[in-house]
Amino acid sequence: MDLKVFISHQDSICAECGKQLGHHAWITLAEGKGALCLSCADLDHLIFLPTGDSLQ
Ligand SMILES: [Zn+2]
């Protein structure tokens, strides 16, 4: 499964739970569904490393 995470640049609503995600929220796009919040996408456990702090 190819998951991609985006930062929304406009008001988004999670297609699964209907939560208002607002601007600059972390979202993922599910095929055939639309924007999902990270909780619904089972991604809220992920930790995003800042640029420059990734594996070398
Ligand atoms: Zn959701």
Side-chain angles (χ1 to χ4, degrees):
M1 192 159 160
D2 188 20
L3 285 171
K4 293 194 173 67
V5 176
F6 301 88
I7 297 177
S8 69
H9 291 293
Q10 57 187 20
D11 280 332
S12 304
I13 297 174
C14 175
E16 191 84 11
C17 68
K19 184 169 121 185
Q20 288 274 355
L21 303 173
H23 286 218
H24 307 300
W26 292 95
I27 62 169
T28 188
L29 295 179
E31 202 172 330
K33 285 188 183 177
L36 293 181
C37 71
L38 296 193
S39 298
C40 289
D42 266 340
L43 291 175
D44 56 344
H45 59 287
L46 290 189
I47 297 170
F48 295 95
L49 297 174
T51 305
D53 197 25
S54 53
L55 295 175
Q56 304 197 2

